[in-house]
């Protein structure tokens, strides 16, 4: 558990850099976190991030299959938005915990 | 001491069996790899070909006879004679597929689609295809090619690559 300063804000993060307090999240933080991974956020990215945050709040276990069926983006599109970590990176940028699902 | 991280870069997974559990082990490992940014190549051979054969892929069974880990709902041992009654294996298998669906584990065709969407590649074994008299047309459309074992090995090179046999 640690803290880091990003986009002129101090956020709480765990060892792997996932935010531990979703209320500290905003769009600037998201953009800065994405930049660290090498992703430039578009409106489509934010649609996915909003969906993830929403579902996380509802206590759902997130999977790429669910995101693929959300109507926002299909699975191929999700891989294109977040190359190399469709669920891992999107969750990190959305300021929610690392997904604990295998699918 | 500094821990040296050598992340896995590629997995080559060989599936030679056609029961639900064998095929899903392959699919979960492959999908889990591409989701982590690890390259995945799948090679289906012998009875594993059922998993990529259009006719059988979504109707895989699990063995209700000779399967010591098979239990009744509630945990009682599943008697072998019960498993031998016609229709029981089909019923148990469809129940298993339903339970997986509830955990958001997709049917085989959709799972293969998810894997290829992430850049995973699916191959069929030439020798087993010849043996079962299958042609490319019998196979699911996401299958990239029919390969000899040598051709498959040629794809399994490179640092931090593992071959997994399920």
């Amino acid at each position: 558990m640690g803290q880091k300063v990003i986009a002129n804000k101090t956020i709480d993060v765990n060892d792997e850099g996932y935010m531990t307090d979703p209320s500290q999240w905003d769009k600037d933080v998201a953009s800065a976190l994405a930049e660290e991974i090498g992703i430039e956020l578009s409106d489509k990215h934010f649609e996915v991030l909003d969906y993830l945050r929403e579902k996380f709040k509802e206590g759902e276990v997130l999977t790429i299959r669910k995101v693929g069926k959300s109507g926002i983006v299909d699975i191929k599109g999700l891989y294109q938005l977040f190359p190399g970590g469709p669920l891992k990176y999107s969750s990190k940028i959305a300021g929610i915990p690392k997904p604990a699902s295998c699918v | 001491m500094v821990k040296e991280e050598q992340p896995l870069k590629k997995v080559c997974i060989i599936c030679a069996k056609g029961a639900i559990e064998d095929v899903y082990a392959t699919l979960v490992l492959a999908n889990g790899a591409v989701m982590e940014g690890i390259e995945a190549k799948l090679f289906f051979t012998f009875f594993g070909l059922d998993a990529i054969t259009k006719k059988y892929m979504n109707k895989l069974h699990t063995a209700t006879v000779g399967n010591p880990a098979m239990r009744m709902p509630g945990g009682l041992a599943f008697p072998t004679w019960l498993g031998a009654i016609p229709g029981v294996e089909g019923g148990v298998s469809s129940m298993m597929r339903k339970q997986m669906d509830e955990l958001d584990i997709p049917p085989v065709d959709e799972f293969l689609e998810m894997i290829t969407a992430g850049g995973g590649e699916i191959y069929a074994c030439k020798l087993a295809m010849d043996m079962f008299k299958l042609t490319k047309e019998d196979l699911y459309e996401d299958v990239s090619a029919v390969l000899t074992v040598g051709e498959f090995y040629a794809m399994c090179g490179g640092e931090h690559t593992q071959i997994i046999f399920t």
Side-chain angles (χ1 to χ4, degrees), chain B residues 102-162:
Chain B
E102 282 162 15
L103 289 172
D104 221 19
I105 302 172
V108 174
D109 56 351
E110 192 191 330
F111 218 157
L112 289 171
E113 236 170 77
M114 283 167 61
I115 293 164
T116 51
E121 292 167 15
I122 299 161
Y123 299 98
C125 166
K126 184 173 183 308
L127 184 63
M129 293 270 294
D130 293 345
M131 195 183 128
F132 290 122
K133 306 209 175 0
L134 292 168
T135 65
K136 185 83 170 41
E137 282 67 55
D138 297 312
L139 301 181
Y140 185 57
E141 56 263 33
D142 279 5
V143 176
S144 298
V146 179
L147 303 180
T148 64
V149 70
E151 287 168 326
F152 181 67
Y153 276 142
M155 297 178 168
C156 305
E159 267 186 312
H160 311 306
T161 299
Q162 294 288 341

Side-chain angles (χ1 to χ4, degrees), chain B residues 31-165:
Chain B
N31 182 65
V34 291
M35 276 177 72
E36 292 295 322
I38 298 165
E39 211 182 312
K41 312 233 183 253
L42 281 72
F43 189 65
F44 290 90
T45 185
F46 273 83
F47 296 114
L49 281 175
D50 272 10
I52 53 169
T53 305
K54 279 184 262 186
K55 203 167 150 192
Y56 305 119
M57 58 195 310
N58 288 329
K59 296 180 190 130
L60 300 179
H61 278 195
T62 194
T64 48
V65 169
N67 182 353
M70 175 63 59
R71 277 174 216 99
M72 308 271 253
L76 274 178
F78 195 97
T80 284
W81 57 264
L82 182 59
I85 296 171
V88 169
E89 189 183 279
V92 167
S93 301
S94 96
M95 202 168 108
M96 247 171 99
R97 290 196 296 263
K98 193 169 152 267
Q99 283 168 345
M100 289 196 294
D101 187 58
E102 282 162 15
L103 289 172
D104 221 19
I105 302 172
V108 174
D109 56 351
E110 192 191 330
F111 218 157
L112 289 171
E113 236 170 77
M114 283 167 61
I115 293 164
T116 51
E121 292 167 15
I122 299 161
Y123 299 98
C125 166
K126 184 173 183 308
L127 184 63
M129 293 270 294
D130 293 345
M131 195 183 128
F132 290 122
K133 306 209 175 0
L134 292 168
T135 65
K136 185 83 170 41
E137 282 67 55
D138 297 312
L139 301 181
Y140 185 57
E141 56 263 33
D142 279 5
V143 176
S144 298
V146 179
L147 303 180
T148 64
V149 70
E151 287 168 326
F152 181 67
Y153 276 142
M155 297 178 168
C156 305
E159 267 186 312
H160 311 306
T161 299
Q162 294 288 341
I163 296 184
I164 302 167
F165 192 95

